[in-house]
Amino acid sequence: MSIAPDDPRLTAYALGELDPEALQAFRAELAEDPRARAELSALRELGARLERELRSEPVPALSAAQREAILAAVRAPELRRRAAATGPNHGPLATAPGASPTPAPGSVAPERRLIASATPPLRWRHVGLWMAAIVSMLGASVWLLNWQQADEQPVVASASTETSAQAYEVTGILRRPTPSGLREAVEFGQMREPDDHEVAGAPSVPPTPEAAAAPVANLWGDAIGEAYGSGHGRLASKPSAATVDPRMQRLSEKTVRRAEAVFNDEQGAGAPPGQLAALGNREAYDAVGDNPFLRVATEPRSTFSIDVDTASYALVRRFLSSGSLPPRGAVRIEELLNYFSYRYPEPSGDEPFSVVANLAQAPWAPEHQLVRIGLQARHVAQGARPPANLVFLIDVSGSMNAPNKLELVKYGLRRLTESLGARDRVAIVVYAGASGLVLPATAGSRKSEIQQALAQLEAGGSTNGGQGIELAYSLATQNFIRGGVNRVLLATDGDFNVGVTNQSDLVELIQRKAKTGVFLSVLGFGAGNYQDSMLEKLADKGNGNYAYVDEPAEAEKVLVEQASGTLVTVAKDVKLQLEFNPAEVAAFRLLGYENRLLQHQDFNDDSKDAGEVGAGHSVTALYEIIPVGGTVPSADVDPLKYQTPAAAPASPPLGTAQTQGEWLNIKLRYQPPEGGASRLKELALRGPVNAMNEDFRFAAALAEFGMLLRGSPHRGQASYEQVLQLAQGALGDGKDRQAREQFVELVRSARRLAGAEGPAGKPRPYDPLNGSLP
Amino acid sequence: MGAEPVQSWIQSALDRYEASLLRYAAGVVGSAAAPDVVQDTFLALCRAEPEKVEGHLGPWLFVVCRNRALELLREGSRLRPLEEQDVTGNPDSEPWRRVERQQSFGRVQHLLQELPDRQREAVMLKFAAGLSYKEMAEVMELSVSHVGVILHTALTRLRVLLAEPSEVLGVGGGL
């Protein structure tokens, strides 16, 4: 008697799954059936192949944020029990199905509802804490502090200091090997027969009495610690706003929506959904308030550092195209302005750049004027670029394992490599749990070697950025090319979580390294745990530039089209100082550059670091000015007790025939890229208020857009309609026309999203991310 | 139970089952939605009482994962806007990326698509996730002998498919 080919015992036997009773009989049959034995070995082979191939198949990993979400949720059951015990109207806890090994399909949902409904009555002051608790349960990790509100500050701030140490501890626990007893318990469970239901009743770990005894107040405090610490404490030392990428954080978003419902019930006022959704993620954005109007009578000067970063524009684009408004902190007006290039005159002779200034009516405040200052750095042709010594410093930690991160990094650097030649050198350093040299300095002409090294990179492990930075800089110093481009290109999502993780330590390290004459480019990638504030700081302190790469086209722009601007620095420590003429100007306000302001005395101090300008970069700054006779909004400070502030002087003190009609004087200081004494340029703006030209209109549209997204208190009559009108009439026919058209689309998306929250252009209701009340 | 032991317990469950659950979920809802399903699965584990799960953690996770994935499929219409977003906002959808991804698909993975749902599920649970027949029976809500029949049928079919030259990829060869 032979075994039929469709006898399932064949497979069962091949896989060692045949019942012990059936085993004997089957073996006997098999002994007499060579064909069945052949079948059997084919099945075994197929099984082994399936196991091998299916287990090596790459899977879409959980994002770091999702893993954190899960681990942060571990304490949720405790919170839930407590909430249910104290809350009046809650039914029995929904738990995973009792004796039955099969949970009901809907078991996830009712539990979440329970969390949402288990709200103890809360007064306003507790709402923040309550939300932190929700957030920690379901995985949000960045908590932001309401620091503008004096009332709230002490409560939250103390919680954060207490728990920052704890945050480290929590991480430590996670990374420590599993206690062997527990590991065994899990393993043991696996080895047992699954229908062994008596196991179900046996508690595996005894409950700890202190957990049950913890007072409610502490419970909320702990929750904040977790929320704040797990996502934030390791990296940023300052409270930040955060936001969610709906593609990656669908779950957290849902949760937060429920939190919003609670929040709204408590407040009786609508909180902006997009902004609140922010809590469900580990992204960090520093929110910086808008520059206020300054009275020229008391504060005639304005000093700031140039900034050529463009990251904010790409970040804003990412948020809008994924259907949410960006968090305020991610919107930096200067970076929106500088994302685009303008037709400023090319510098003459050996000058590294030209400076122009214009004056026009401010579109959002017709009684105010808008000053545009434009800098154009000289272009360097691709062939005329000095030889480059580049070190790619690539974050290959687990969090980079996403198509829009490491894969995009590889793509961008591959494209950059294509433009390199025999005089150039490329080295590749990776960092994760340990840092390593992937490719020693290699001539740019050996493209296949470089590209092969890039192709082999894989993500995995945690991030020790500090070590990698050390190694990259030492390579760049070893291969230093005098008069050449010496640059470290750091590609990361900024999620440094091992080693030098203290933000200020890292910044200090970069600051020290910048003195070696090696410049830094920071290329930010990814969503979900993106650390914007951190990366901006690194670029700022490391003589660098900073771009956010959200798609292959952006990689092309930064690394191919603008390669010379990204790589070749034409001037460093570029500072601007404006002096306003009190005869013409009553008050002024710098749009953007909030985190680039300098002390006035730093202008002439060459040891004070400032921004770098790359070849072909154009830099734009806008000032809104209130002419003499206009109403100056009252300052945020209390009036002086002992003196009356000087009103606009009846006659300008130094008004001479020469300075008559001048609005302001611009002084610009910069150092040559190799360092040395600074040079000074000076320019006075005089003359009538003109109509805006195309580029000026486009810049005004960008600034107005930024003010709307930031909910700026100075937005006046700004509206998305006006932004559209300005931008559509200023598309030009230059090479960035396509990008300008894309901007128009972004404005439309923003208008739609803002429309869903409230009438466009109207002040937003309470914004919990920034803590300012309307 | 204190937070610390629970956390290590969850952590070890994650280490052990994350990849196989993701593969399994990807087979049901596609690779884009799989991480969400698996996140939900582990969140459910966080809320479950360990005593109830102990002893059959593997099948428990796969059951929850399966239910969650099927729930998601039923929510199909509500999911669509998200997918549209993926198409517009995700570099994943860029042609260069798509090609790379297609190339990375192994043959066996591809041939699995030819199998009926139940057979494919059985293959994934057995070989990708490493469950026993009994565990598979729990997850699939079938008897152990039924599982045996399904898996045997699946392997027999795969052998036939592997022996045929593949039309799609143009690669031939058997075992």
Side-chain angles (χ1 to χ4, degrees):
Chain A
M1 191 180 114
S2 66
I3 303 169
D6 64 354
D7 190 332
R9 287 182 305 167
L10 281 165
T11 295
Y13 184 78
L15 299 173
E17 288 275 359
L18 204 59
D19 286 354
E21 304 99 78
L23 206 57
Q24 210 69 16
F26 187 73
R27 280 199 180 124
E29 285 178 58
L30 204 59
E32 292 165 14
D33 192 344
R35 209 181 50 85
R37 286 201 300 271
E39 284 288 295
L40 201 60
S41 78
L43 283 169
R44 281 200 176 112
E45 243 178 279
L46 176 59
R49 177 174 175 185
L50 282 168
E51 202 161 284
R52 196 172 58 238
E53 294 193 19
L54 292 178
R55 291 190 189 180
S56 64
E57 184 66 26
V59 282
L62 287 180
S63 69
Q66 281 174 316
R67 277 183 85 98
E68 297 250 356
I70 291 161
L71 294 168
V74 170
R75 283 195 178 185
E78 287 173 38
L79 283 172
R80 207 182 56 225
R81 271 172 218 140
R82 193 66 38 81
T86 51
N89 294 322
H90 308 301
L93 291 175
T95 52
S100 155
T102 311
S107 67
V108 174
E111 298 244 341
R112 290 206 207 118
R113 273 199 296 281
L114 185 67
I115 290 167
S117 63
T119 327
L122 291 168
R123 277 173 303 137
W124 154 242
R125 147 188 312 269
H126 295 135
V127 168
L129 303 185
W130 160 240
M131 287 194 331
I134 292 181
V135 155
S136 86
M137 284 184 221
L138 291 143
S141 355
V142 180
W143 177 245
L144 51 123
L145 303 183
N146 227 338
W147 57 344
Q148 289 177 5
Q149 256 184 283
D151 193 18
E152 294 291 311
Q153 190 176 358
V155 180
V156 187
S158 69
S160 75
T161 31
E162 272 166 30
T163 52
S164 57
Q166 191 186 336
Y168 277 95
E169 263 167 44
V170 170
T171 329
I173 290 161
L174 301 189
R175 301 202 189 285
R176 224 182 292 147
T178 315
S180 55
L182 274 167
R183 165 84 67 185
E184 269 162 32
V186 175
E187 303 279 335
F188 182 62
Q190 279 311 296
M191 285 185 292
R192 299 190 66 160
E193 294 296 309
D195 55 350
D196 229 348
H197 286 187
E198 99 272 355
V199 185
S204 56
V205 180
T208 52
E210 61 272 22
V216 173
N218 269 4
L219 202 62
W220 297 122
D222 284 357
I224 287 190
E226 255 176 79
Y228 184 78
S230 61
H232 199 113
R234 281 179 278 117
L235 220 155
S237 55
K238 249 168 82 172
S240 302
T243 193
V244 77
D245 178 344
R247 290 195 306 260
M248 302 186 63
Q249 289 285 312
R250 182 184 51 80
L251 176 70
S252 324
E253 224 188 51
K254 267 193 210 160
T255 313
V256 172
R257 239 174 265 136
R258 275 183 207 110
E260 276 166 20
V262 174
F263 183 85
N264 290 346
D265 288 350
E266 292 294 327
Q267 279 301 291
Q275 294 276 321
L276 243 180
L279 295 175
N281 201 308
R282 302 186 63 222
E283 301 206 345
Y285 298 95
D286 274 355
V288 181
D290 289 51
N291 290 326
F293 272 109
L294 298 174
R295 284 173 191 275
V296 178
T298 51
E299 186 75 66
R301 278 172 303 195
S302 168
T303 311
F304 68 99
S305 155
I306 282 305
D307 178 12
V308 295
D309 297 348
T310 59
S312 175
Y313 185 83
L315 278 169
V316 166
R317 177 173 64 200
R318 187 195 96 203
F319 279 106
L320 291 175
S321 52
S322 62
S324 59
L325 288 173
R328 256 179 214 197
V331 183
R332 290 183 291 274
I333 290 175
E334 71 278 16
E335 297 189 16
L336 304 187
L337 290 172
N338 292 330
Y339 182 86
F340 292 89
S341 57
Y342 306 93
R343 279 153 293 186
Y344 298 135
E346 188 74 11
S348 54
D350 281 347
E351 294 284 305
F353 41 75
S354 65
V355 187
V356 291
N358 318 74
L359 188 67
Q361 191 183 49
W364 54 86
E367 68 283 11
H368 297 173
Q369 275 135 33
L370 201 58
V371 175
R372 179 184 67 153
I373 298 160
L375 253 73
Q376 177 63 55
R378 97 185 121 79
H379 284 87
V380 172
Q382 182 68 25
R385 175 175 59 72
N389 157 33
L390 304 179
V391 180
F392 298 163
L393 173 55
I394 304 171
D395 178 354
V396 291
S397 60
S399 65
M400 288 291 285
N401 187 12
N404 61 349
K405 295 189 184 176
L406 191 57
E407 290 308 313
L408 197 51
V409 171
K410 290 180 185 179
Y411 172 79
L413 295 178
R414 209 157 55 219
R415 295 285 290 127
L416 172 63
T417 308
E418 285 165 16
S419 69
L420 300 178
R423 301 178 308 153
D424 304 317
R425 292 284 176 279
V426 170
I428 302 176
V429 174
V430 295
Y431 67 90
S435 319
L437 179 63
V438 172
L439 182 77
T442 303
S445 49
R446 286 154 73 182
K447 292 192 172 47
S448 60
E449 256 169 80
I450 301 172
Q451 296 188 344
Q452 209 177 347
L454 282 171
Q456 282 167 355
L457 299 179
E458 276 175 26
S462 47
T463 319
N464 185 341
Q467 253 179 36
I469 289 170
E470 291 273 5
L471 182 56
Y473 272 95
S474 79
L475 274 170
T477 325
Q478 278 165 30
N479 297 291
F480 199 86
I481 302 177
R482 222 160 259 292
V485 173
N486 295 286
R487 190 173 281 276
V488 170
L489 288 99
L490 167 62
T492 179
D493 57 7
D495 189 17
F496 301 102
N497 55 18
V498 192
V500 185
T501 52
N502 181 306
Q503 188 168 7
S504 55
D505 285 358
L506 250 185
V507 167
E508 208 177 293
L509 172 68
I510 285 283
Q511 223 162 356
R512 222 169 41 233
K513 296 295 175 189
K515 298 208 172 80
T516 59
V518 175
F519 289 82
L520 176 72
S521 286
V522 178
L523 306 170
F525 288 85
N529 53 357
Y530 189 64
Q531 303 291 340
D532 176 60
S533 51
M534 177 67 176
L535 296 182
E536 202 209 355
K537 258 184 213 106
L538 288 184
D540 184 17
K541 299 297 178 195
N543 281 344
N545 46 43
Y546 167 42
Y548 176 72
V549 181
D550 57 344
E551 54 184 35
E554 190 64 23
E556 293 273 335
K557 177 177 187 276
V558 174
L559 295 171
V560 182
E561 287 161 39
Q562 301 179 350
S564 58
T566 305
L567 300 179
V568 184
T569 303
V570 299
K572 65 173 215 167
D573 293 349
V574 184
K575 303 166 188 170
L576 269 174
Q577 185 164 73
L578 275 72
E579 185 188 343
F580 291 87
N581 183 355
E584 304 287 347
V585 184
F588 66 89
R589 179 173 85 83
L590 174 60
L591 281 76
Y593 295 93
E594 277 88 3
N595 52 12
R596 300 285 166 150
L597 298 181
L598 296 175
Q599 299 292 320
H600 300 317
Q601 66 268 24
D602 290 348
F603 182 72
N604 289 330
D605 183 348
D606 284 358
S607 70
K608 296 288 178 200
D609 185 55
E612 278 62 51
V613 177
H617 277 154
S618 54
V619 181
T620 300
L622 296 178
Y623 278 89
E624 184 175 344
I625 61 178
I626 303 176
V628 165
T631 327
V632 179
S634 59
D636 298 333
V637 290
D638 292 330
L640 292 173
K641 185 176 173 185
Y642 301 111
Q643 34 178 307
T644 26
S651 64
L654 290 172
T656 65
Q658 265 188 332
T659 61
Q660 206 179 5
E662 281 187 13
W663 296 88
L664 52 99
N665 190 49
I666 304 165
K667 287 196 291 185
L668 189 132
R669 209 174 254 296
Y670 63 91
Q671 288 178 33
E674 60 278 9
S678 66
R679 297 167 201 181
L680 182 69
K681 273 171 100 78
E682 224 174 317
L683 174 81
L685 174 64
R686 51 164 57 238
V689 177
N690 291 316
M692 287 180 177
N693 67 14
E694 210 167 55
D695 276 355
F696 198 167
R697 277 204 302 279
F698 195 75
L702 284 164
E704 187 168 337
F705 184 57
M707 287 196 290
L708 287 166
L709 292 178
R710 287 176 64 89
S712 166
H714 305 292
R715 64 193 174 283
Q717 302 168 15
S719 67
Y720 288 110
E721 279 66 34
Q722 192 176 51
V723 175
L724 279 175
Q725 212 179 344
L726 283 167
Q728 275 166 333
L731 295 175
D733 45 12
K735 61 176 159 55
D736 65 354
R737 181 181 170 104
Q738 219 179 334
R740 290 188 185 199
E741 280 168 351
Q742 189 196 38
F743 170 69
V744 169
E745 284 314 306
L746 285 188
V747 179
R748 291 209 177 97
S749 311
R751 180 175 60 178
R752 206 168 43 241
L753 290 165
E757 287 177 15
K762 268 189 99 177
R764 290 189 196 168
Y766 173 69
D767 174 358
L769 291 192
N770 288 288
S772 60
L773 284 162
Chain B
M1 168 180 294
E4 194 175 328
V6 183
Q7 220 155 18
S8 9
W9 182 64
I10 298 285
Q11 177 77 55
S12 69
L14 257 176
D15 290 347
R16 188 181 164 128
Y17 289 104
E18 178 188 338
S20 51
L21 283 169
L22 280 163
R23 272 186 209 109
Y24 174 69
V28 187
V29 294
S31 59
D36 283 337
V37 170
V38 174
Q39 186 186 16
D40 284 3
T41 305
F42 280 103
L43 286 174
L45 181 64
C46 292
R47 285 187 299 270
E49 289 175 26
E51 317 73 87
K52 303 263 164 66
V53 180
E54 201 62 62
H56 47 246
L57 177 63
W60 192 94
L61 285 170
F62 278 93
V63 169
V64 175
C65 182
R66 180 179 203 256
N67 289 335
R68 182 67 196 124
L70 295 177
E71 200 179 294
L72 208 64
L73 284 186
R74 278 196 297 274
E75 286 174 2
S77 55
R78 272 199 279 156
L79 258 185
R80 212 148 288 136
L82 265 178
E83 280 164 6
E84 272 163 22
Q85 268 174 13
D86 273 353
V87 172
T88 51
N90 192 340
D92 222 16
S93 61
E94 293 293 326
W96 59 272
R97 179 65 205 152
R98 234 178 357 235
V99 169
E100 271 179 35
R101 206 169 33 184
Q102 275 164 6
Q103 284 168 348
S104 77
F105 269 95
R107 279 192 67 210
V108 170
Q109 182 79 350
H110 186 83
L111 289 178
L112 282 183
Q113 305 310 313
E114 311 266 304
L115 297 180
D117 290 350
R118 289 237 125 169
Q119 292 182 22
R120 188 172 61 242
E121 186 182 8
V123 169
M124 291 303 290
L125 289 174
K126 180 74 221 172
F127 298 104
L131 297 194
S132 70
Y133 274 24
K134 272 187 174 148
E135 290 169 329
M136 289 165 67
E138 261 183 57
V139 176
M140 298 175 73
E141 295 172 18
L142 298 170
S143 68
V144 171
S145 62
H146 198 166
V147 166
V149 171
I150 289 177
L151 194 64
H152 182 68
T153 316
L155 292 194
T156 309
R157 174 89 185 115
L158 276 177
R159 286 175 63 201
V160 174
L161 289 171
L162 279 165
E164 287 171 358
S166 159
E167 285 165 38
V168 185
L169 295 173
V171 199
L175 278 165

